[in-house]
RNA sequence: GCGGCCGUGGCGAAGUGGUUAACGCACCGGAUUGUGGCUCCGGCAUUCGAGGGUUCAAGUCCCUUCGGUCGCCCCA
């Protein structure tokens, strides 16, 4: 048997790194005033069809959908925002909590894709959502939180791309203008882009084949078509970021792939991991709460791909935090076994990280293993010690060893290790 | 979903169709019967991702399948 395709085991050595990066994210989120929310991994498939958009690739070809035993059509969550907004609406949090309600989450997401590095079928995201405010300072807060988090874990090579895709009105106007611009050149487009002209003309702008063609480069950008409200909002976000010294580049071609985005969109990109270079991305979704049956409240958030962050960190030799699992190894042999066994537990009760020497190894092996594991001390109780009511304590670092009464062991070790 | 490359012990890696599948690291044992790190000596793949086929002979060739990886699509 082996793991399912696209699924990955996180082994102990790797898990330590995960704990570290999760701790940094939790700390960052809480410092910015975001509280944790945990939502189910399984939801009605319809939730994603309505939020992410039923024409998107995520819904059309990447969702893990199946009927449960009760005949409900359910899906493993492909992203985090929909579930959070669903919970917000379902529990009417907009009536109970001060707005904006600021939330973070972390956990596995599922997309049925062809795996490659930085892309798995089960992957993990750190995410943040703020619901109930359209204040541009909130956009800037979220972006600065993302930036600060990436700085905190040592990723200083990522670039922030910032854009706005306006409100539905702006987008409609722009779409028509873009099609008008590109239509005369239809025959010069690649096969994919001729299709995109009808389905998603915005994508033509960053097509690998057509993106550099003169008539594409001269295409109007959505930033020119923003309405006054969207334009002002976007300017204010920039001003707020400038004030903090958060560096960004305006990217008029940023087109998020999920249907729910409005106004501000942003992406943190690192070019060192090949084609899949986006490590964190997000934006506003002012229509989503209403779309899911709630009041007409705005929202904004982002999600970061943990595996992609890890990939980048590997190339950077990160603080591994490979601390020893324990400080003391206790070994009893001969008549000393029972005493040693009780001492081990007493040490643990007293807060000492102590380990038993399993499998009746020879003293030589006990010391070798303790040394390898990074333990500082070894407690030995053999026949000699037992008759005198003593224990032998060996300091692996200095090589020195002393013998003293069993009763004083716990106190001595606590002192030595403090 | 489409296309390219790859798959040999715990890890890295040699191996032009021919006998017992190099080597390095790691690991285990001994030299040292209650004392680690160093050194020396010895051990460690009935088997080459799995299944089938071609052949007198297959890790080496063919097919299928599973997995990884890279690119496309798309995305975190």
């Amino acid at each position: 048997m082996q793991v399912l395709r696209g699924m990955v085991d996180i082994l102990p050595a790797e898990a330590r790194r995960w704990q570290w990066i999760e701790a940094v994210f939790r700390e960052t989120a809480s410092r910015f005033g975001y509280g944790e929310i945990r939502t189910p991994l399984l939801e009605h498939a319809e939730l994603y069809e309505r939020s992410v958009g039923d024409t998107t690739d995520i819904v059309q070809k990447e969702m893990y959908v199946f009927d449960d035993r009760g005949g409900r059509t359910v899906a493993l969550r492909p992203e985090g925002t929909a579930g959070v907004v669903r919970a917000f609406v379902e529990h009417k949090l907009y009536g109970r909590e001060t707005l904006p309600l600021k939330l973070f989450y972390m956990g596995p997401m599922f997309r049925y894709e062809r795996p490659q590095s930085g892309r798995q079928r089960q992957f993990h995201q750190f995410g943040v959502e703020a619901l109930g405010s359209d204040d541009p300072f909130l956009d800037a807060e979220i972006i600065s939180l993302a930036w600060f988090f990436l700085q905190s874990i040592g990723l200083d090579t990522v670039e922030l791309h910032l854009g706005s895709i306006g409100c539905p009105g702006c987008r409609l106007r722009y779409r028509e203008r873009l099609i008008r611009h590109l239509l005369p050149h239809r025959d010069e487009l690649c096969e994919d882009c001729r299709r995109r002209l009808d389905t998603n003309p915005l994508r033509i702008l960053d097509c690998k084949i057509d993106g550099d063609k003169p008539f594409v480069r001269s295409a109007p950008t959505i930033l020119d078509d923003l309405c006054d409200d969207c334009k002002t909002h976007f300017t204010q976000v920039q001003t707020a970021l400038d004030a903090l010294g958060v560096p960004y580049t305006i990217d008029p071609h940023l087109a998020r792939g999920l249907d729910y985005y409005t106004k501000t969109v942003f992406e943190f990109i690192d070019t060192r991991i090949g084609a899949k270079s986006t490590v964190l991305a997000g934006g506003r979704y002012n229509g989503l709460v209403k779309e899911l049956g709630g009041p007409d409240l705005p929202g904004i958030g982002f999600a970061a791909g943990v595996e992609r962050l890890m990939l980048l960190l590997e190339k950077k030799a990160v603080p591994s935090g490979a601390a020893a699992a324990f400080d003391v190894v206790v070994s009893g042999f001969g008549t000393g076994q029972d005493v040693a066994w009780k001492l081990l537990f007493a040490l643990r009760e007293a807060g000492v990280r102590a380990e038993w020497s399993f499998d009746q190894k020879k003293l030589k092996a006990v010391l070798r293993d303790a040394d390898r594991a990074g333990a500082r001390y070894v407690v030995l109780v053999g026949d000699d010690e037992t008759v005198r009511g003593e224990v032998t304590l060996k300091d692996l670092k200095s090589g020195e060893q002393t013998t003293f009464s069993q009763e004083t062991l716990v106190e001595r070790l606590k002192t030595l290790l403090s």
Side-chain angles (χ1 to χ4, degrees):
Chain A
M1 292 293 282
Q2 57 189 162
V3 278
L4 240 23
R5 179 161 217 204
M7 307 285 163
V8 169
D9 296 312
I10 299 165
L11 303 176
E14 195 63 9
R16 279 203 301 272
R17 290 158 51 81
W18 279 70
Q19 290 186 344
W20 167 78
I21 199 172
E22 284 167 2
V24 176
F25 182 70
R26 281 177 189 285
E27 160 60 24
T28 307
S30 102
R31 205 185 288 185
F32 280 71
Y34 289 72
E36 183 172 10
I37 183 168
R38 304 190 188 196
T39 65
L41 272 56
L42 212 53
E43 298 268 8
H44 281 105
E46 191 193 346
L47 172 64
Y48 302 108
E49 288 158 10
R50 279 174 50 187
S51 58
V52 174
D54 49 16
T55 60
T56 59
D57 275 21
I58 291 182
V59 167
Q60 284 201 326
K61 54 180 221 194
E62 295 169 4
M63 255 204 313
Y64 273 92
V65 205
F66 58 95
D67 290 345
D68 72 7
R69 289 170 187 262
R72 289 168 281 260
T73 302
V74 300
L76 249 22
R77 63 180 188 194
E79 58 98 44
T81 304
V84 171
V85 172
R86 194 224 79 235
F88 178 75
V89 171
E90 183 168 342
H91 302 286
K92 300 186 167 54
L93 296 180
Y94 45 84
R96 297 205 252 153
E97 308 274 353
T98 310
L99 300 183
L101 178 60
K102 308 202 294 183
L103 304 164
F104 81 86
Y105 60 86
M106 54 205 324
M109 306 295 162
F110 302 83
R111 289 181 201 173
Y112 195 88
E113 299 182 89
R114 184 102 187 241
Q116 55 191 76
S117 88
R119 169 183 298 178
Q120 297 160 195
R121 290 182 174 180
Q122 176 178 338
F123 61 105
H124 298 76
Q125 287 187 337
F126 294 157
V128 143
E129 316 288 351
L131 298 155
S133 167
D134 195 39
D135 191 332
F137 276 113
L138 185 57
D139 304 46
E141 174 180 275
I142 291 235
I143 293 169
S144 63
L145 159 49
W147 182 76
F148 182 69
F149 168 65
L150 295 173
Q151 295 289 308
S152 299
I153 59 175
L155 279 189
D156 43 22
T157 54
V158 289
E159 291 169 16
L160 168 56
H161 289 228
L162 183 65
S164 174
I165 56 172
C167 54
C170 304
R171 230 166 19 246
L172 210 62
R173 264 199 314 283
Y174 173 60
R175 192 191 148 100
E176 281 165 12
R177 196 146 86 97
L178 185 60
I179 294 175
R180 272 203 305 279
H181 175 86
L182 292 173
L183 212 50
H185 304 281
R186 186 188 177 90
D187 295 341
E188 302 165 55
L189 292 167
C190 73
E191 191 185 332
D192 283 335
C193 284
R194 282 201 293 275
R195 181 172 46 79
R196 289 183 182 124
L197 204 51
D198 301 319
T199 58
N200 196 346
L202 274 67
R203 288 244 169 259
I204 298 173
L205 299 176
D206 42 25
C207 171
K208 301 277 187 305
I209 303 164
D210 295 330
D212 282 334
K213 292 181 180 165
F215 65 92
V216 174
R217 299 185 66 156
S218 69
T221 75
I222 188 154
L223 297 182
D224 305 323
D225 271 311
L226 293 180
C227 63
D228 289 346
D229 178 51
C230 290
K231 196 172 288 176
T232 307
H233 186 96
F234 190 43
T235 308
Q236 287 174 330
V237 172
Q238 293 171 56
T239 307
L241 286 175
D242 291 341
L244 303 181
V246 175
Y248 58 86
T249 45
I250 299 292
D251 187 344
H253 296 193
L254 263 193
R256 316 275 31 261
L258 287 65
D259 280 357
Y260 54 61
Y261 284 112
T262 56
K263 288 188 171 176
T264 311
V265 291
F266 57 94
E267 229 171 88
F268 285 84
I269 294 170
D270 194 303
T271 51
R272 290 175 301 161
I273 47 172
K276 309 139 297 299
S277 54
T278 303
V279 294
L280 185 156
R284 250 190 194 284
Y285 44 84
N286 284 356
L288 184 57
V289 175
K290 188 177 184 189
E291 171 64 33
L292 293 180
D296 191 4
L297 288 171
I300 177 169
F302 71 71
V306 183
E307 282 82 1
R308 290 183 184 182
L309 295 173
M310 291 297 203
L311 272 178
L312 289 169
L313 289 173
E314 256 169 48
K315 299 181 176 170
K316 230 186 123 61
V318 134
S320 63
F326 42 85
D327 300 306
V328 179
V329 171
V330 178
S331 178
F333 35 100
T335 52
Q337 273 238 306
D338 292 349
V339 175
W341 175 243
K342 287 183 209 163
L343 286 171
L344 169 69
F345 196 71
L347 284 168
R348 288 172 169 170
E349 284 179 313
V352 175
R353 298 188 307 165
E355 178 62 297
W356 185 242
S357 81
F358 289 98
D359 299 318
Q360 277 295 292
K361 295 205 174 96
K362 284 183 266 189
L363 180 54
K364 175 180 167 145
V366 171
L367 292 168
R368 195 212 314 120
D369 292 353
D371 189 45
R372 271 187 203 153
R376 177 73 193 272
Y377 298 102
V378 176
V379 172
L380 301 167
V381 190
D383 296 325
D384 300 349
E385 288 87 353
T386 306
V387 288
R388 300 197 199 93
E390 295 181 333
V391 296
T392 295
L393 179 68
K394 180 168 179 112
D395 181 339
L396 289 176
K397 201 169 168 190
S398 67
E400 290 166 10
Q401 66 182 50
T402 48
T403 300
F404 46 81
S405 117
Q406 289 166 6
E407 285 76 53
T408 61
L409 175 70
V410 171
E411 278 316 305
R412 274 178 191 253
L413 269 177
K414 280 188 74 175
T415 311
L416 285 170
L417 288 167
S418 63

